[in-house]
Amino acid sequence: MTEPLIFEHSRAGRFARAQAPVVREEVELPADCLRAEPPVLPEVSELQAVRHYTRLSQRNFSIDTHFYPLGSCTMKYNPRACNTLALQPGFRGRHPYAPASHSQGFLACMFELQEMLKGVTGMQAVSLTPMAGAQGELAGVLMIRAYHHARNETHRNEILVPDAAHGTNPATAVMCGMKVVELPTDADGDVDIAALEQAVGPNTAGIMLTNPSTVGVFERKIEQIAKIVHGAGGLLYYDGANLNAILGKVRPGDMGFDVIHMNLHKTFSTPHGGGGPGSGAVGVGARLQPFMPIPVVGREGDRYRWQDEKDLPQSIGRLSGFMGNAGVLLRAYIYMRMLGQEGMRQVGEFATLNANYLAARLKAAGFELAYPRRRASHEFIITLKRMAKDQGVTAMDVAKALLDYGFHAPTTYFPLLVPECLLIEPTETESKEALDGFIDAMCDIMERAVRDAEHLKGAPWTLPVRRLDDVRAARQLDVAWRPGSVDA
Amino acid sequence: MTEPLIFEHSRAGRFARAQAPVVREEVELPADCLRAEPPVLPEVSELQAVRHYTRLSQRNFSIDTHFYPLGSCTMKYNPRACNTLALQPGFRGRHPYAPASHSQGFLACMFELQEMLKGVTGMQAVSLTPMAGAQGELAGVLMIRAYHHARNETHRNEILVPDAAHGTNPATAVMCGMKVVELPTDADGDVDIAALEQAVGPNTAGIMLTNPSTVGVFERKIEQIAKIVHGAGGLLYYDGANLNAILGKVRPGDMGFDVIHMNLHKTFSTPHGGGGPGSGAVGVGARLQPFMPIPVVGREGDRYRWQDEKDLPQSIGRLSGFMGNAGVLLRAYIYMRMLGQEGMRQVGEFATLNANYLAARLKAAGFELAYPRRRASHEFIITLKRMAKDQGVTAMDVAKALLDYGFHAPTTYFPLLVPECLLIEPTETESKEALDGFIDAMCDIMERAVRDAEHLKGAPWTLPVRRLDDVRAARQLDVAWRPGSVDA
Amino acid sequence: MAFIPHTEGDVADMLAAIGAASIGELFDEIPPGLRVDELPGVPEAISEMAITRLMQARAAQDQGALCFIGAGAYEHHIPAAVWEITTRGEYYSAYTPYQAEASQGTLQLIYEYQSMMASLTGLDVSNASLYDGASALAEAALMAVRANRRSKARRILLPRTVPPVYARVAEAIAGTQGIEFCRVDYDTASGTTPVAALAPWENEDVTAVVIPQPTFLGSLEAVDALTDWAHARGALVIAVVNPLSLALLKPPGQWGAAGADIACGEGQPLGVPLSSGGPYFGFMTTRASHVRQMPGRIVGRTVDLDGKPGFTLTLQAREQHIRRSKATSNICTNQGLMVTAATIYMSLLGAEGLARVAASSHANTRRLVDALSALPGVERALSGPCFHESVLRFDRPVGPVLEALATRDVFGGYDLTTDFPELGHALLVCATETKTAEDIAHYAGALADVLKQQKVA
Amino acid sequence: MAFIPHTEGDVADMLAAIGAASIGELFDEIPPGLRVDELPGVPEAISEMAITRLMQARAAQDQGALCFIGAGAYEHHIPAAVWEITTRGEYYSAYTPYQAEASQGTLQLIYEYQSMMASLTGLDVSNASLYDGASALAEAALMAVRANRRSKARRILLPRTVPPVYARVAEAIAGTQGIEFCRVDYDTASGTTPVAALAPWENEDVTAVVIPQPTFLGSLEAVDALTDWAHARGALVIAVVNPLSLALLKPPGQWGAAGADIACGEGQPLGVPLSSGGPYFGFMTTRASHVRQMPGRIVGRTVDLDGKPGFTLTLQAREQHIRRSKATSNICTNQGLMVTAATIYMSLLGAEGLARVAASSHANTRRLVDALSALPGVERALSGPCFHESVLRFDRPVGPVLEALATRDVFGGYDLTTDFPELGHALLVCATETKTAEDIAHYAGALADVLKQQKVA
Ligand SMILES: Cc1ncc(COP(=O)(O)O)c(C=O)c1O
Ligand SMILES: Cc1ncc(COP(=O)(O)O)c(C=O)c1O
């Protein structure tokens, strides 16, 4: 059954609410400031709204309902305690400008979170303000830029980025006024060192790397890379999207990175919320510490306080209206306290175990690994180019078919350099049974591709809708309902 | 897809919890007190439990997801604020034996709830302790019994009950050591007065009535009935399951009832919870006040306190370990405050409007009303005896077919005196559109009964399971999973 | 109109379809003299915002003390996931699963619950819940009378170590059906029921013997001996147990040579918040042979038309909606949502987790008793082991001590003076796994203070 | 192992399948010198119970004051249903709807959100959210530069009445791309931007003019005149608006003769709790003709293989994962869950409900201003109407007054001294619909007290 739009549940003149003030007070404002017609918002009862959005929710796959091995996204279990505790009235109701005298509870959490993040990354200082990974990248590249500018090396305007990098890396570099220099990846997934040596130069501002990289392997020559880039006067940026793979095992600070972001919504398990909010907290080495985005939390004796432009006059400034996604930070804090040292080490270990098990089993079943000579990190890539060629069944078809088996699809067609690829990240919170179920489904699909390719090309068959027409969506753009628009 | 039992997700030796104490402390107890083998409980991770019970939840129809016109049950919207507020730590964490000095907030709510319930029912006093309607009935009949015993009329051991009464009425009377005398219902759904006059006598303890009755009409001769029963020395018990129909319009106290129960989970919209908890608060007239179940909340000056056996030495006693379903009572209190006087009046009015509209439209569509000459109260009965005879399609088939249309079925086969009946209660929180959708479905089914009766007999077709084998369930009793039991 | 979705146009259309001129007309069968306009004592509506503020203030008013009271309701940590899932609309706003096909979620969950309770108590079958522990005992007594066809006496032996309020509730609910509850004395030194205390009924017709474990006083009964005594005389055994304790203690199904016949009790410790005493839930399990005498809903596993497994209410012929005056009980609405919470709680904790909670509660209570009984004027009242409650004896009346502790935001325990006068100035204390070493030290410090300031009476 | 479900047997089986001897071996490609054992500063694990207790204590520590601060984050009543539904696992634990067929819930909700925001702002199209209001302005500036092909200057006029932090954030984010933000002065008597203040750029190439409504100071700009000024010079208009105010105020799409081109702002007032400043969400709407320049996700309605309507992410060619270095923005993860809350909030309130909240906030702030400015030493600083914030001028420094109020658990407002020194001892106050007459009287009483006790500096 389709669920109508909330606007189709609406009836003019309905007002069945207990949530609004009981009267409409008079407003004394000049007429030319006021709107002539009310906005078109739904006129529904509380029950209708609750029913509609409850029913809609059931049309989602989610970690809480399905195995969700979306590569690069670390879809692991989000402990419910984090939500319950972060939403307590004392936290939920705290105004961002509440005086420090009435904020010590919150500030204590933030300070301790900074400290823990320093510990797990090996960085010197942490700023929590970036609101997602991409904003963390922005902060990082701005800091690199500020560093060079402070040293009067304003000509350094090139950022090196591997061709397999996430799209946010080059997009960010450009937003910071940098030029992007792409680096090729070698056959085993490492950065091509010869090409790197060629690429660095007097204009090198820095390099952006993910390690383990987006092709799912650990960059083995990281120390060599650091030496080359540092030698050329550049700095190293660490994209922390894949930190889950190495948590408690090896730290970006020790690898030679000068600045990193972490995706707290990935490694530290705050929920993904159907597309955010996240947090892209940044960590810095000593050289970049003066440039950190503000505010950060400092401690003086047993009191905590915000540090701002007065404390960090060289800061790249503010990236958000207040201090970033505080509620997300609280969830990360709670999660980290429940894991502790030992728990964090286990995260890296079991994320890696799960990925390598899945890779080994799929390989044994006849799937082609993109980097068969390598260990998987917490994720790995299979390429379906043979299936696409032989049976015309693409990575997209396999992804959609998996939905019918009750599994969310892995990431598809990323990284771009591997054809017909699936990037598979099981995470440490999935059981062996869940992995085995996924393997069975994949084998079934492989067998079906030979026997009944059309079935796969028509998938999914069991979801609320069958495959959607993306081309039409972009060509006949319908991005807002309007009164009178006929419902399809 | 079926969802396995939680036990099938279990693996020996799994312990992936943050919720238990981090160590198992030593226990110094005699060996013969201890169990040899641990109980068989699931060994699953937090994610597995969350995923399993989230997925299971999606296999329910509920008010929050479906129109649920279950007659006699008042399945109306349960405002979410009631839940959120009743679960605040201050309420959730309050121990039942917390001293009164630390209970004034809670007690104030309970006292005011008692007062409001007196106001809407016209009774003299209210005790909140009964934990559901049936326990309210038990309290009521025990009070009637105690009253007669206190007057040395111990021979009064007969309770009159209309044949259409809910099963809890006769069952309760028997639990109180009473004999049940059944009263016939006349062709228009009223109590047969002649039969009543015959039935009353020196042994009459009282009568149990629902008004509007379980056949969905208002008992018009209620004043006459009161006169007859009181004249014979009996008392009148009001089963408040249908209070929603007349809320704010007419009060049981004014009709002559001596004792009533209310189903707070129906009229006052606390959730039904998949089968409770409810609350069966009782109200009494002056004669029965001394016999009320304890505890009740009293006020002295601006302090509240529990009243117990010392205050009410003739009380029938305690019916629960503490004070009944306090959390349910808080929800009812919050709901009543949000409705206020005017809101409560509207409940009765719109519940009645919805039922009469639905009845009129279904009648116009060719369905047979059980009491066509009567106004519907908040619910009404249709009988499908013609369909059963002509097409072999029973009330059960229609109920199951409705599920395929996305509607929960009305109550079936109750009251027993109407053959092939559906008892339909839409409640005031459903919109006209929802009712119209239901009417369309009913018409469709009626038409289909002629065209394709087999389809209806096979319904439901779209739910997680098709029609279940009740006979097998009772014959091959499987009411607990055991390790090693093969999964079907 | 709060929660009522009708527009003016809807009302007009609907009245036209009915053929009525006004909503008022729909009430024309009600004798005019009975109609009311005012509802005295019912205030005007307030918004959700206003009630939120009011209820926040009232909740805050009662909050903040450290609670060492048990006495039948126990403060345990409830994992956040329990109530986040339990209050999902699909569980929260559904009703009794009468339409099995549309209620497989609730039904499967209850089946799982029944399985867990059966294993926890060591018996075969469980119902889907009763109201609470106290009323469950009343139902168990009534059930025992039905099940023990050999006995004519309707006589139930009820030790004084059973929670006093359970005895009162059983009396109130079952007393009018000619059931005689005979109180059995206990040994004030150990707080347990010696087999010798049953001697008066040695040669009587006894329908059932109730055996609590642990007792209301926290002590542990000699359940094997008591069970065997009962069975030797053809009496059934009704176990009243704390389900959490069964993570460690011998399950009723294994008591004595043959095991208890019925187990019941208060389900609250399994994931249900204290919330002023309710809603909790009563549980009941029994042998397969007695299942048709059991009150309450029961869910069974069966198959659908296609042979696919599924779940449905079963043995409904025991219940009031079918059997009416001959039903096993009048219970209808029970405590479904609490069972939902308990099932999720048990799944999250598992056997090992429950055992840790139980062991930690046991250890903390021992620590508490050690700390308090080290104070002058306070001593352990009972010899022998206890589970997670224990009785202390004071050199002065307990009431004023508790009051003084309360002003220091410590709830010191449950005053036993009224129900157990023979124990002297006795206080029942409890420290579950929620109490830290600091909490216990805090209590001891506050008590030392109070005892110093108050004169011995 | 917290949250890690593997049994020992599982680990052995899995290692065997991999062909590795130990989990440690799986890390053998990492240079040995880089491996760590200790994580300094990370404490030992604590249980859910312990963290619960800790976080309850910390939350309680910060609670209990009456808050009259606005300044970009507003305390509104959020209906309970909003977050009970928003935190359902299916919304909460899903991610960006890359697999449209498995994400129709989130996708349809976003489509509904886009529709509501378009109507609220009077523009054609909305994206699915940006990080927050401040960063949304930065993105709007970048977008204006792309969209205004006529302008070569990359010059954006930025009135001082825009929240100061928005200006700083815009500068930090967009400043490195050669965008020149020119600050426009305001009239200190009215707290608004006179058209005359734009005179310096009369004949310059201006890419866009930012117009706040209401201003940071609560005042109302002459939006029509400012908009027309901009359009007359080929500049685009970027409206920075409080979405709640749009229940009453003229929507940006209707400003002046042609309407603003881009509207953006902070979504927090629409059902998002204050929570220390985030997560909130930035919104952005624009004309249909600019949609391809808009940053962020966009959901479109389309049909499936069977012609059934459905929803999917669209125009992805604007985004970083397709366009990489040429994308409209680097944004990826946005603030989806906040949008979920806002959509449910707007559905529950409707246009009339939002208008009541807005009107009530407006009326309460007027009452507050009346009550406070009646005190000696306090006066209204600005002439002209305000929405739901207003500036008061004191006869003494504001800082110490606020500190003294805080000790009385009143947060008196936002100190304007640093950002708006020309206004003197100025305080920005706000009383939303959450404030009662008693609350306002309480503030006035506390302030009277403080003013009496503190000497005028
Ligand atoms: C490798 C990589 N880098 C950066 C990002 C961007 O992070 P965010 O989405 O939090 O902005 C992602 C997110 O998917 C990623 O996978
Ligand atoms: C008419 C009637 N009376 C009594 C009851 C019993 O109420 P409860 O289920 O709350 O025990 C019901 C419940 O369905 C009912 O409909």
Side-chain angles (χ1 to χ4, degrees), chain B residues 72 132-134 137 166 168 210 214 239 241 261 263 265-266, chain C residues 95 332-333:
Chain B
S72 208
E137 296 174 33
H166 193 260
T168 51
T210 319
T214 52
D239 174 338
H261 88 257
N263 298 70
H265 46 301
K266 298 178 181 177
Chain C
Y95 200 19
C332 177
T333 297

Side-chain angles (χ1 to χ4, degrees), chain B residues 28-369:
Chain B
E28 289 179 26
L29 291 174
D32 68 340
C33 289
L34 298 177
R35 72 186 298 156
E37 294 278 328
V40 180
L41 296 179
E43 298 179 72
V44 296
S45 69
E46 181 167 331
L47 169 56
Q48 289 178 303
V50 165
R51 191 176 284 168
H52 175 71
Y53 289 109
T54 301
R55 291 175 72 129
L56 276 194
S57 78
Q58 294 184 342
R59 302 177 153 236
N60 272 0
F61 280 31
S62 66
I63 306 176
D64 278 8
T65 50
H66 296 85
F67 179 46
Y68 207 125
L70 193 67
S72 208
C73 297
T74 311
M75 303 301 289
K76 60 175 161 179
Y77 176 60
N78 311 127
R80 281 274 147 186
C82 303
N83 181 53
T84 310
L85 296 174
L87 283 180
Q88 291 181 91
F91 292 131
R92 200 174 55 206
R94 188 184 160 276
H95 194 283
Y97 292 139
S101 58
H102 288 64
S103 308
Q104 292 296 308
F106 172 70
L107 290 174
C109 297
M110 294 300 103
F111 183 82
E112 292 172 15
L113 176 59
Q114 291 173 185
E115 293 300 304
M116 288 194 287
L117 292 175
K118 282 160 59 178
V120 297
T121 60
M123 305 308 285
Q124 291 290 311
V126 162
S127 167
L128 302 170
T129 105
M131 292 178 283
Q135 213 190 34
E137 296 174 33
L138 182 89
V141 178
L142 287 177
M143 283 190 265
I144 290 173
R145 182 177 181 276
Y147 170 82
H148 293 307
H149 280 237
R151 293 157 53 97
N152 286 320
E153 305 203 353
T154 50
H155 57 279
R156 290 193 177 270
N157 66 350
E158 289 177 6
I159 292 281
L160 311 179
V161 181
D163 54 0
H166 193 260
T168 51
N169 293 186
T172 299
V174 167
M175 274 186 89
C176 297
M178 297 280 175
K179 276 194 218 123
V180 174
V181 179
E182 272 212 356
L183 292 175
T185 302
D186 74 18
D188 281 334
D190 290 326
V191 165
D192 182 329
I193 294 289
L196 172 65
E197 279 173 328
Q198 285 250 305
V200 294
N203 293 337
T204 299
I207 185 170
M208 298 180 86
L209 280 183
T210 319
N211 196 11
S213 71
T214 52
V215 303
V217 300
F218 190 84
E219 173 59 65
R220 291 169 294 191
K221 287 169 262 173
I222 181 62
E223 290 163 306
Q224 202 181 338
I225 294 170
K227 203 179 262 159
I228 293 168
V229 174
H230 280 150
L235 297 183
L236 279 84
Y237 182 89
Y238 180 81
D239 174 338
N242 294 346
L243 185 62
N244 210 54
I246 55 169
L247 195 65
K249 290 282 151 189
V250 44
R251 307 187 305 169
D254 301 332
M255 297 182 212
F257 285 97
D258 299 286
V259 51
I260 72 169
H261 88 257
M262 296 153 269
N263 298 70
L264 300 189
H265 46 301
K266 298 178 181 177
T267 312
F268 300 107
S269 203
T270 74
H272 284 69
S279 165
V282 287
V284 292
R287 280 193 280 199
L288 293 184
Q289 190 164 357
F291 305 102
M292 280 200 296
I294 50 174
V296 293
V297 179
R299 180 166 63 182
E300 279 156 25
D302 61 351
R303 304 297 289 172
Y304 300 95
R305 73 166 181 88
W306 292 112
Q307 297 181 333
D308 58 17
E309 30 282 273
K310 287 185 286 297
D311 304 278
L312 287 159
Q314 290 186 281
S315 164
I316 57 163
R318 289 178 185 267
L319 302 175
S320 68
F322 301 100
M323 67 145 307
N325 285 337
V328 176
L329 299 169
L330 281 173
R331 286 170 172 80
Y333 173 76
I334 296 162
Y335 175 76
M336 292 182 83
R337 292 299 307 269
M338 283 196 286
L339 286 194
Q341 286 256 0
E342 179 63 13
M344 289 196 211
R345 255 192 300 275
Q346 287 163 347
V347 164
E349 290 177 357
F350 285 84
T352 303
L353 177 66
N354 272 3
N356 279 282
Y357 172 72
L358 207 49
R361 290 278 319 272
L362 287 177
K363 185 180 173 189
F367 285 95
E368 185 177 347
L369 299 181

Side-chain angles (χ1 to χ4, degrees), chain A residues 96-169:
Chain A
Y97 292 140
S101 58
H102 287 65
S103 308
Q104 292 297 306
F106 171 71
L107 290 175
C109 297
M110 294 301 103
F111 183 82
E112 292 172 14
L113 176 59
Q114 291 173 184
E115 293 300 302
M116 287 193 288
L117 292 175
K118 281 159 60 178
V120 297
T121 60
M123 305 308 286
Q124 291 290 312
V126 162
S127 166
L128 303 170
T129 107
M131 291 178 284
Q135 213 189 32
E137 297 174 32
L138 183 89
V141 179
L142 287 178
M143 283 189 264
I144 291 174
R145 181 176 182 276
Y147 169 84
H148 292 308
H149 281 237
R151 295 156 52 98
N152 287 321
E153 304 205 351
T154 51
H155 59 277
R156 289 194 179 269
N157 66 350
E158 288 176 6
I159 293 281
L160 311 179
V161 181
D163 54 2
H166 194 259
T168 50
N169 292 185

